[in-house]
């Protein structure tokens, strides 16, 4: 058949591009416009082979072979097929498993079935040499593409280069049409300033009872923390505690605050307490003795500093707020899924915005919008849980413990509030503006 097929080893293509543009092969150092990249691959393949394109096969690794946001976007593009291998972490480095075998199988099957006259390989792995040779024996012309090496040397197997019928190099000018290096400060550069919306959540004031309890715990636990700090490894336990771990620090009734209980040194930092703020501008409520004594930290945004033994469910004023699932019809659910696959990039801030946009647009009672605005910066528990479950669809889980990264949670919630603010402002804008 007089047509061409492109087989792309995404690990090689994007890793080599990162080395070229950012100085290291970490794909986290680059941003990729996949639509532009696929179109550029198609145009280059058809120009080099002088044959129309049959299909582009995109081979990549993913944790547990679960498609990530980029894979979902790619597989709905025309003439693109995604094949996933496993992605495993060993000695602090990610490694693909099964990708080379899948490429080898596809390469030999296409050649054996005479599905195309030309095959373009974008890879550098010498393990594909037997498949390349088999394709040649079946009369298929093999074109090998390389990404320009950062040091000007080869970044492909020399045996693979020697056996290919044609070889081309994708230079820096071609690569930068679709791939850019992320701007990262040097080793002495100041830390990047967080988005204003995230900074607002982090700086939201705490109830006075929480501040007083934390201060009391700091004084009571100082001696014990000092002894542990001088332990065998010199590291204070709990210094890097995640919100999930902090949430487990439930002292016995009557304890001053989390961290004061025996065996649980340390007190929550402002970062740990970021989700527990009150409405900006509202006067802090006078703490009751029970609240100060029995306060406990909860990561769920609706269960901040609460009285131990108090009601676990949502307060009546927020329990009446509908969830997005309750507001969404079957047709809208299908359209949402289509948008998630084709248009939502998976950036945590954007994910929060998309969720909030759908929720606010489908509200039938505008009073609900005002009601949730008064809860800032805490999102009611049911809606917050639904928001985080929605975010998990976009591969934002930290695969070590199947939890969303702490910083991503801040960004997701900041995106949610940003969209709510925009909708609230639009509701109050004078007519005609």
């Amino acid at each position: 058949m007089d047509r061409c097929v492109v087989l792309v080893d995404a690990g090689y293509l994007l890793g080599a591009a990162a080395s070229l543009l950012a100085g290291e092969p970490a794909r986290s150092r680059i941003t990729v416009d996949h639509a532009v990249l696929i179109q550029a691959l198609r145009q280059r393949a058809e120009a080099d082979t002088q044959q129309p394109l049959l299909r582009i096969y995109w081979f990549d690794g993913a944790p547990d072979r679960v498609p990530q946001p980029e894979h979902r976007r790619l597989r709905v593009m025309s003439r693109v097929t995604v094949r996933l291998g496993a992605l495993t972490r060993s000695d602090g480095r990610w490694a693909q498993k099964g990708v080379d075998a899948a490429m080898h199988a596809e390469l030999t099957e296409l050649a054996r079935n005479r599905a195309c006259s030309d095959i373009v390989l974008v890879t550098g792995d010498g393990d594909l040499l037997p498949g390349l040779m088999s394709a040649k024996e079946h009369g298929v012309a093999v074109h090998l593409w390389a990404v320009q090496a950062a040091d000007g040397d080869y970044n492909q197997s020399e045996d693979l280069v020697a056996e290919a019928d044609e070889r081309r190099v994708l230079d820096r000018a071609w690569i930068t049409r679709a791939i850019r290096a992320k701007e990262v400060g040097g080793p002495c550069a100041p830390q990047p300033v967080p988005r204003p919306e995230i900074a607002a959540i982090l700086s939201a004031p705490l109830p006075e009872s929480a501040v007083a309890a934390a201060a009391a715990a700091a004084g009571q636990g100082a001696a014990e923390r000092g002894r542990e700090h001088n332990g065998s490894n010199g590291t204070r336990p709990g210094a890097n505690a995640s919100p999930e771990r902090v949430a487990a620090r439930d002292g016995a009734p009557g304890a001053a605050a989390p961290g004061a209980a025996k065996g649980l040194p340390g007190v929550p930092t402002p970062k740990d307490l970021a989700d527990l703020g009150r409405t900006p501008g509202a006067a802090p409520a006078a703490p009751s003795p029970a609240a100060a004594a029995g306060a406990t930290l909860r990561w769920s945004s609706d269960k901040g500093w609460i009285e131990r033994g108090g009601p676990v469910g949502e307060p009546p004023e927020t329990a009446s707020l509908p969830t997005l699932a309750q507001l969404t019809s079957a047709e809208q659910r299908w359209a949402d899924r289509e948008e998630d696959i084709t248009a939502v990039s998976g950036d945590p801030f954007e994910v929060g915005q998309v969720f909030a946009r759908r929720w606010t647009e489908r509200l039938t009672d505008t009073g609900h919008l005002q009601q949730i605005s008064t809860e800032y910066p805490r999102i009611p528990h049911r809606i917050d849980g639904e928001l985080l479950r929605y975010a998990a669809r976009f591969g934002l889980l930290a695969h070590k413990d199947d939890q969303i990264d702490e910083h991503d949670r801040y960004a997701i919630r900041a995106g949610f509030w940003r969209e709510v603010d925009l909708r609230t402002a639009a509701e109050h804008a004078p007519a005609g503006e």
Side-chain angles (χ1 to χ4, degrees):
M1 299 290 285
D2 293 335
R3 51 193 180 185
C4 67
V5 170
V6 181
L7 306 183
V8 180
D9 179 350
Y12 166 76
L13 173 60
L14 301 182
S19 294
L20 177 65
L21 302 179
E24 58 180 275
R27 288 163 62 168
S28 61
R29 295 291 308 276
I30 57 175
T31 57
V32 184
D33 188 329
H34 290 90
V36 173
L37 179 59
I38 292 299
Q39 183 62 25
L41 288 169
R42 178 172 187 166
Q43 293 175 349
R44 181 69 178 264
E46 291 181 338
D48 279 7
T49 64
Q50 296 297 307
Q51 302 294 346
L53 177 75
L54 170 63
R55 192 174 297 114
I56 295 175
Y57 288 90
W58 185 272
F59 295 88
D60 202 1
D64 299 324
R65 290 185 167 86
V66 176
Q68 301 300 292
E70 64 182 275
H71 303 139
R72 287 196 289 269
R73 290 194 297 273
L74 283 163
R75 66 185 183 182
V76 297
M77 295 181 184
S78 60
R79 302 297 181 109
V80 177
T81 297
V82 175
R83 296 280 188 262
L84 294 180
L87 191 64
T88 59
R89 191 172 181 84
S90 177
D91 297 328
R93 299 181 63 183
W94 291 101
Q96 295 180 351
K97 300 293 183 182
V99 173
D100 296 338
M103 288 190 71
H104 180 277
E106 201 70 57
L107 175 60
T108 54
E109 193 69 13
L110 288 168
R112 184 182 299 113
N113 293 329
R114 300 288 298 171
C116 57
S117 60
D118 297 76
I119 291 180
V120 175
L121 282 178
V122 186
T123 186
D125 199 327
D127 290 344
L128 285 175
L129 182 61
L132 185 153
M133 297 174 67
S134 175
K136 290 173 62 178
E137 291 171 359
H138 285 87
V140 174
V142 180
H143 305 251
L144 183 65
W145 289 0
V147 175
Q148 179 182 339
D151 55 5
D153 200 358
Y154 282 103
N155 54 14
Q156 290 178 307
S157 162
E158 292 189 17
D159 291 334
L160 209 61
V161 173
E163 283 292 335
D165 295 305
E166 300 284 348
R167 184 174 184 264
R168 297 286 185 272
V169 175
L170 305 177
D171 59 17
R172 182 186 294 268
W174 190 93
I175 291 294
T176 52
R177 292 168 61 184
I179 303 174
R180 293 284 190 276
K182 293 181 180 178
E183 294 184 4
V184 179
C188 298
Q191 291 294 323
V193 178
R195 300 190 195 208
E197 297 86 352
I198 299 177
I201 289 179
L202 297 179
S203 62
L206 298 172
E208 288 184 350
S209 60
V211 177
Q220 292 179 5
E224 183 178 353
R225 291 196 302 276
R227 288 193 299 271
E228 292 175 352
H229 178 76
N230 296 324
S232 59
N233 59 7
T235 302
R236 179 174 65 83
N240 297 318
S242 66
E244 288 78 7
R245 292 182 179 179
V246 175
R249 298 173 183 174
D250 294 342
K262 182 179 180 181
L264 295 175
V267 296
T269 65
K271 192 173 185 181
D272 292 328
L273 304 175
D275 277 350
L276 309 177
R278 57 179 173 81
T279 304
S288 65
T296 181
L297 178 62
R298 302 286 188 185
W299 177 241
S300 171
S301 63
D302 190 53
K303 298 180 180 179
W305 288 88
I306 61 174
E307 295 184 18
R308 185 176 301 280
V312 178
E314 293 184 70
E317 58 270 19
T318 58
S320 61
L321 291 173
T323 63
L324 179 60
Q326 293 171 333
L327 297 169
T328 303
S329 66
E331 291 78 8
Q332 288 173 325
R333 189 173 298 109
W334 181 90
D336 290 348
R337 195 64 173 169
E338 187 75 8
E339 182 184 16
D340 290 343
I341 293 172
T342 59
V344 182
S345 69
D347 173 75
F349 190 85
E350 180 191 9
V351 167
Q353 284 186 299
V354 171
F355 181 94
R357 172 175 55 79
R358 294 172 183 171
W359 189 79
T360 56
E361 286 178 350
R362 295 168 192 173
L363 285 175
T364 56
D365 184 352
T366 56
H368 287 149
L369 187 61
Q370 298 302 319
Q371 189 175 347
I372 198 171
S373 296
T374 62
E375 294 293 317
Y376 179 88
R378 296 181 297 168
I379 304 174
H381 180 57
R382 288 186 305 147
I383 297 174
D384 185 60
E386 189 181 35
L387 169 62
L388 296 180
R389 287 193 297 273
Y390 171 68
R393 298 180 188 175
F394 295 90
L396 293 175
L397 293 178
H399 295 282
K400 181 177 69 173
D401 53 6
D402 290 332
Q403 297 292 327
I404 295 178
D405 178 77
E406 177 183 3
H407 300 285
D408 286 345
R409 290 188 187 219
Y410 293 142
I412 291 165
R413 287 164 174 155
F416 178 92
W417 284 118
R418 175 62 175 169
E419 194 65 26
V420 169
D421 287 345
L422 292 175
R423 182 62 183 267
T424 304
E427 290 285 339
H428 288 83
E433 289 191 4

